[in-house]
């Protein structure tokens, strides 16, 4: 365990805790865009900056809380002048990149920023290159999409910019994207994502198309269970559970009392 | 010694009070959520409330690729760590009983968490079809 | 060659090498560095060799194809020892003459001598040539006399003596202490005290430690690391083995930029030779100390030279930086304590071991006896380019003034133009004006002046250089080379470029300057790695020292150096005699005028390409 001061408040956290977690535990808020608890810290959006003074040092420095380890004796300011200026500048830059993104607009205006200091980009989507989609895909074991290009050319892309062969259409990337930038369309038992069409498997009971064939296959493989194990959607699984339960508990009772 | 939510199907009268209680207990900012318990009608006058069995060797926990599901040692219930959930829905597919639920694509999956040890469903069930009992 | 089993054998082997060499035998060191390759230096070396055989001089003369001599613009070049005769711009067909006249008869070939551009005098001896006279080639010197691929040449010059000394007389801690006391600071850019780094790495918990040599060298126009590795790979390898011993590492890596095939192959040869000689690998010199290393080809991006990106790349991942809040000396390659140093840093190590701290600290600035940050010691190699008469690689003692480098070694600005600025430190360095010319060149002075040492790029600019345009050039480079991962660097550089482009095209407003300053602050504070953190330097240093040029662009819509096309006008003055040449060459057909009559430029049609001014033989066209 180690002690540190956050905005003057003494907090105790376990060794190895990220500063961001310590700050949140202490009840303060720090905005983030590229952070997800399930993924390794990435440090790309720079929104989570805070100002720290390390023990025994005179100078403070601005660091990103998501990947900075909490240290004993650390003094942390989450809203200092330098922090606010840096955070505002990041949002100013993002606002110019994605002027149409409600998420970015909201974050910016929460810092009193209603218009960017820079000319807004035209014809650009709302990707802020936080990398969450790429990282979640990698975490799930598919690595169907990657970051491609450098500098201003950087983008999220499938290999060779073709529909990604390793994609199973699970849709996690679309759900985790903070700006909702990844189009996912389910229609007529087909799912379209990353310019690829996936056939969806129907629940053998209700007929609802509830999962893509590729995702189902990956589940069959990962679990070692037969495909029949997954033939019902969750709603129908529940109904089946209800029936089983009823059979066991009510009918068994009745049978017992008949005897 | 721990407690469990016990279902006695024969007692259920299909009033769905449990669903309402659950939805309100899990309300966020005043908006009731989707219920974690669901009452199924099997035949005329036959109802069964279904909720998570908190399996010992839970398929959902095993399937979760990001360890967002964990067992609360105090209540024995499996809970979702919402900020870890990546909405891959693997657990939804994995649960053989259909007890993992997608509330909204933007939010973490939901499941019965026995309300942290004071389940609303059992509290409000008029017929004790749902009971929170020592086992 | 048989493995050398102990210190005695090494000594004997060396003595054998030295006594086998006839001191009276002439040695012709022909530069075969990459810079000279374009001048067919390899053919020249073979031709000389063939002539020597043909003219029966084999036992009197030895031709030694060496690494880079630094004076690349004069290639092909050679030096004849012991007379120290320097020939430049030697072509292959002059080989016969060099052998028959100079080598056989001692006759000097006037046409191959260097002519001092300042005095106009021909100079015979290399050591009298200003370009070399003011240098102190501690690192480069040896490489200019040996064959890079012959370990015997290196051994004969006392190579691996430092390693033997360390292994036979010193404890690892003492070696760390020695480097600490020497005040050696990293030559890769940051100027971090090498001894401090070694000590932290040595003290970091864990059994496995790595040492790495950073030879990624991505600065445009810089090639000092390449020259060192190509010309004297053993000096770098020896430094690394000593470092590994001090730090407690048994595995090293040399991360070489992908575009350096000759460096890669010379290093491979050198590693094989060192292994064969028992100087690398298991049980080095019979001491029980084992260390080996591997060569890895770079990821092909500038940012791969950044320490964490380099390590990611070595591990087979994309070369992208990560946060350095946990230092690589503690958690580096494969999460193990890792010591990364630059090529030039490593090459300094054997020198310090051999000659001692007192000697080393006598070169340079400040006092490092108590504090390794207290000064800058030893020499630094610069890549001197741009508007100077003599360009090339120059190695100078720390503390030398910019003026000495630019004027005494570089010979000053050509074409009688006025000096305007010198850019030091590579793409994220800064531009210093004339008033800084007498500033001593060391890590701290350059930083104080708003520039930096960087890896040693030095670009001289004359009065025809627009400083806003220069800033724009570097920002463009950094934007292209940024990995694009973090917002301040990727978006910040993009916006910086946008603003500078605006200013260069006369569309800037004064508040743009405040915006640039504000953006710079946030980029420096908020970027993930040093690329983004230092990227504003070109802008800030030009804003600091040449603000009036920015203002001229914005307020007066004028580019004082007449570089920014939208802001300049070409006009024809009274010198025009109506030769019609400009009228004929103008691609826009913007010039009109009768033969032998005064010509005029139609400003609406002119697109400022400048072809006319180049074509006019009578200085009749003005640009402003
Ligand atoms: C964008 C970037 C590029 C770099 N490129 C190089 C390089 O090509 N060679 C190098 O030695 N150091 C380079 N560095 C510096 C290294 O990160 C590191 O500080 C250095 O290799 C450490 O060695 P030293 O202490 O001997 O200088 C670069 C740094 C940054 C931020
Ligand atoms: S698409 Fe969304 S999740 Fe992926 S990098 Fe862009 S903003 Fe982040
Ligand atoms: S500062 Fe630039 S190069 Fe460094 S991580 Fe950020 S985007 Fe990449
Ligand atoms: S959340 Fe820390 S940099 Fe994005």
């Amino acid at each position: 365990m180690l002690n540190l001061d956050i905005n003057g408040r003494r907090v105790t956290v376990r060794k190895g805790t990220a500063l961001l977690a310590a700050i949140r535990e202490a009840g303060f808020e720090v905005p983030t865009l590229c952070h997800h608890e399930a993924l390794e810290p990435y440090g790309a959006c720079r929104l989570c900056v805070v100002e720290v003074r390390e023990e025994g040092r005179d100078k403070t420095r601005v660091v990103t809380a998501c990947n900075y380890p909490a240290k004993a004796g650390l003094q942390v300011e989450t809203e200092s002048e330098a922090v606010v200026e840096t955070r505002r500048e990041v949002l100013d830059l993002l606002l110019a990149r994605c002027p149409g993104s409600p998420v970015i607009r909201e974050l910016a205006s929460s810092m009193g920023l209603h218009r960017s200091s820079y000319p807004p980009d035209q014809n650009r989507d709302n990707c802020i290159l936080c990398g969450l989609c790429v990282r979640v895909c990698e975490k799930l074991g598919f690595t169907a999409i990657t970051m491609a290009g450098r500098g201003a050319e950087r983008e999220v892309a499938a290999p060779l910019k073709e529909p990604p062969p390793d994609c199973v259409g699970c849709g996690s990337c679309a759900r985790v994207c903070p700006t909702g930038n990844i189009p996912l369309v389910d229609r007529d038992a087909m799912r379209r994502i990353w310019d690829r069409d996936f056939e969806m498997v129907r629940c053998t009971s209700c007929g609802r198309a509830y999962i893509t064939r590729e995702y189902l296959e990956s589940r069959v493989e990962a679990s070692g269970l037969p495909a029949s194990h997954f033939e019902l959607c969750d709603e129908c699984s529940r109904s089946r559970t209800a029936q089983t339960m009823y059979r066991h508990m009510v009918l068994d009772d009745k049978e017992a009392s008949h005897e | 010694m721990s407690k469990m939510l016990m279902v006695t199907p024969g007692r259920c009268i299909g009033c769905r009070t449990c669903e309402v209680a659950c939805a309100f207990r899990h309300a966020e900012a005043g908006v009731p959520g989707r219920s974690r318990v669901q009452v199924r009608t099997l035949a005329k006058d036959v109802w069964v409330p279904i909720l998570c069995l908190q399996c010992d060797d839970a398929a959902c926990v095993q399937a979760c690729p990001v360890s967002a599901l964990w067992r609360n040692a105090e209540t024995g219930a499996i809970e979702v760590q919402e900020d870890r959930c990546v909405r891959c829905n693997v657990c939804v597919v994995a649960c053989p009983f259909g007890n993992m639920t997608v509330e909204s694509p933007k939010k973490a999956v939901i499941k019965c968490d026995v309300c942290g040890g004071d389940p609303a469903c059992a509290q409000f069930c008029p017929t004790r079809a749902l009971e929170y009992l020592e086992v | 060659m048989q493995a050398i089993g102990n210190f005695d054998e090494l000594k004997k082997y060396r003595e054998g090498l030295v006594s086998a060499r006839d001191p009276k035998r002439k040695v012709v060191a022909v530069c075969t560095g990459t810079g000279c390759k374009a001048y067919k230096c390899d053919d020249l070396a073979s031709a000389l060799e063939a002539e020597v055989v043909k003219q029966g001089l084999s036992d009197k003369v030895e031709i030694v194809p060496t690494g880079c001599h630094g004076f690349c613009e004069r290639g092909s070049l050679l030096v004849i020892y012991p007379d120290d005769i320097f020939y430049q711009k030697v072509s292959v067909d002059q080989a016969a003459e060099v052998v028959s006249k100079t080598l056989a008869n001692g006759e000097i070939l006037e046409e191959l001598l260097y002519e001092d551009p300042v005095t106009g005098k021909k100079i015979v001896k290399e050591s009298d040539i200003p370009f070399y006279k003011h240098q102190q080639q501690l690192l480069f010197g040896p490489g200019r006399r040996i064959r890079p691929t012959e370990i015997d040449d290196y051994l004969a010059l006392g190579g691996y003596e430092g390693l033997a000394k360390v292994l036979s007389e010193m404890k690892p801690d003492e070696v760390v202490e020695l480097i600490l006391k020497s005040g050696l600071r990293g030559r890769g850019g940051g100027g971090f005290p090498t001894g401090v780094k070694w000590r932290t790495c040595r003290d970091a918990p864990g059994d496995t430690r790595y040492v790495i040599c950073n030879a990624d060298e991505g600065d445009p126009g810089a090639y000092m690391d390449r020259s060192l590795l190509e010309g004297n790979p053993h000096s770098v390898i020896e430094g690394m083995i000593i470092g590994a011993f001090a730090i407690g590492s048994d595995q090293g890596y040399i991360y070489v930029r992908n575009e350096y095939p000759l460096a890669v192959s010379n290093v491979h040869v050198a590693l094989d030779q060192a292994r064969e000689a028992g100087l690398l690998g298991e049980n080095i010199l019979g001491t029980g100390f084992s260390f080996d290393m591997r060569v890895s080809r770079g990821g092909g991006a500038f940012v791969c030279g950044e320490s964490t990106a380099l390590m990611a790349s070595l591990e087979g991942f994309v070369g992208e930086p990560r946060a350095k809040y946990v230092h690589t000396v503690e958690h580096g390659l494969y999460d193990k304590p890792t010591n990364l140093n630059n090529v030039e840093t490593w090459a300094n190590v054997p020198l310090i071991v051999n000659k001692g701290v007192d000697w080393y600290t006598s070169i340079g600035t400040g006092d490092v006896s108590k504090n390794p940050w207290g000064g800058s010691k030893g020499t630094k190699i610069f890549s001197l380019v741009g508007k100077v008469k003599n360009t090339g690689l120059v190695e100078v003692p720390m503390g030398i003034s910019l003026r000495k480098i630019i004027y005494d070694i570089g010979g000053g600005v050509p074409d009688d133009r006025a000096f305007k600025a010198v850019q030091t430190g590579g793409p994220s360095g800064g531009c210093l004006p004339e008033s800084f010319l007498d500033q001593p060149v060391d890590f701290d002075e350059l930083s104080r002046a708003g520039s930096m040492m960087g890896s040693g790029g030095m670009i001289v600019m004359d009065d025809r250089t627009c400083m806003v345009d220069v800033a724009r050039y570097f920002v463009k480079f950094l934007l292209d080379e940024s990995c694009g991962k973090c917002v301040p660097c990727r978006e910040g550089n993009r916006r910086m470029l946008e603003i500078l482009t605006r200013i260069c095209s006369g569309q800037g407003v004064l508040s743009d300057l405040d915006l640039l300053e504000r953006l710079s602050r946030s980029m420096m504070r908020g970027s993930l790695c040093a690329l983004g953190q230092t990227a504003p330097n070109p802008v800030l240093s030009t804003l600091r020292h040449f603000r009036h040029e920015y203002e001229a662009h914005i307020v007066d819509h004028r580019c004082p150096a007449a570089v920014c096309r939208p802001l300049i006008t070409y006009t024809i003055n009274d010198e025009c005699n109506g030769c019609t040449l400009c009228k004929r060459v103008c691609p826009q057909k913007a010039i009109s005028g009768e033969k032998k009559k005064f010509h005029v430029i139609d400003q609406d049609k002119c697109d400022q390409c400048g072809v006319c001014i180049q074509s006019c033989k009578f200085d009749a066209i003005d640009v402003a």
Side-chain angles (χ1 to χ4, degrees), chain C residues 303 321 481-487 489-490 527-533:
Chain C
V303 76
E481 294 300 328
S482 149
C483 78
K485 178 174 173 178
C486 75
V487 174
C489 174
R490 178 188 70 237
S527 293
L528 192 158
C529 85
L531 191 154
Q533 287 158 5

Side-chain angles (χ1 to χ4, degrees), chain A residues 126-134 147 156 173 176-179 181-182:
Chain A
N126 285 337
C127 177
I128 54 166
L129 296 166
C130 69
L132 280 172
C133 50
V134 172
M147 283 290 178
V156 175
C173 53
V176 88
C177 176
T179 60
N181 186 55
I182 302 172

Side-chain angles (χ1 to χ4, degrees), chain C residues 379-452:
Chain C
T379 58
K380 176 78 194 90
I381 306 173
F382 288 96
S383 164
L384 182 65
V385 296
K387 297 293 162 56
V388 268
K389 290 191 182 128
N390 306 324
T391 62
L393 293 181
V394 303
E395 182 179 347
V396 289
M398 295 276 189
I400 190 173
S401 71
L402 283 166
R403 188 182 299 282
K404 234 182 145 118
I405 299 178
I406 296 166
Y407 285 89
D408 294 350
I409 297 173
V413 182
D415 307 331
D416 292 327
R417 308 292 312 199
F419 169 91
K420 184 185 241 177
V422 56
Q423 204 274 356
T424 73
S428 42
C431 297
L432 302 177
E434 178 145 33
S435 57
F436 283 80
L437 277 182
D438 295 305
Q439 201 89 42
V441 172
D442 79 4
F443 287 107
D444 309 302
E445 291 290 342
L446 284 177
S447 303
R448 256 194 294 279
S451 185
M452 60 187 210

Side-chain angles (χ1 to χ4, degrees), chain A residues 110-214:
Chain A
S110 74
M111 298 206 70
L113 200 69
H114 303 289
R115 255 190 71 216
S116 175
S117 317
Y118 309 98
D121 283 359
Q122 316 277 328
N123 311 321
R124 193 195 276 285
D125 61 16
N126 285 337
C127 177
I128 54 166
L129 296 166
C130 69
L132 280 172
C133 50
V134 172
R135 288 180 291 145
V136 83
C137 186
E138 189 181 358
K139 183 86 184 183
L140 295 180
F142 304 120
T143 318
I145 47 175
T146 53
M147 283 290 178
R150 274 207 299 266
E153 313 281 290
R154 189 178 173 94
E155 60 180 346
V156 175
L160 307 170
K161 311 214 167 153
E162 281 170 13
D166 294 331
C167 178
V168 295
C170 75
S172 305
C173 53
R175 287 178 222 118
V176 88
C177 176
T179 60
N181 186 55
I182 302 172
L184 180 157
V185 182
D186 285 345
R187 191 192 297 146
D188 303 333
M190 293 295 280
R191 168 169 292 177
R192 188 169 179 81
I193 185 166
W194 294 112
D195 293 330
R196 193 173 149 192
D197 292 308
F198 291 90
E199 180 205 337
M200 295 191 77
V201 179
R202 289 184 189 275
C203 170
T204 53
S205 172
C206 70
R208 177 165 71 96
Y210 72 105
I211 190 170
T212 64
R213 175 157 314 282
E214 283 79 356

Side-chain angles (χ1 to χ4, degrees), chain A residues 66-78:
Chain A
C66 64
N67 53 11
Y68 186 92
K71 296 179 185 170
L74 199 67
Q75 292 181 332
V76 187
E77 291 285 336
T78 64

Side-chain angles (χ1 to χ4, degrees), chain C residues 218-220 302 423-430 452 455 474-475 477-478 534-535 537-538:
Chain C
D219 291 17
F302 175 68
Q423 204 274 356
T424 73
S428 42
M452 60 187 210
S455 53
F474 287 114
V475 169
F477 176 87
L478 292 166
T534 56
N537 277 345

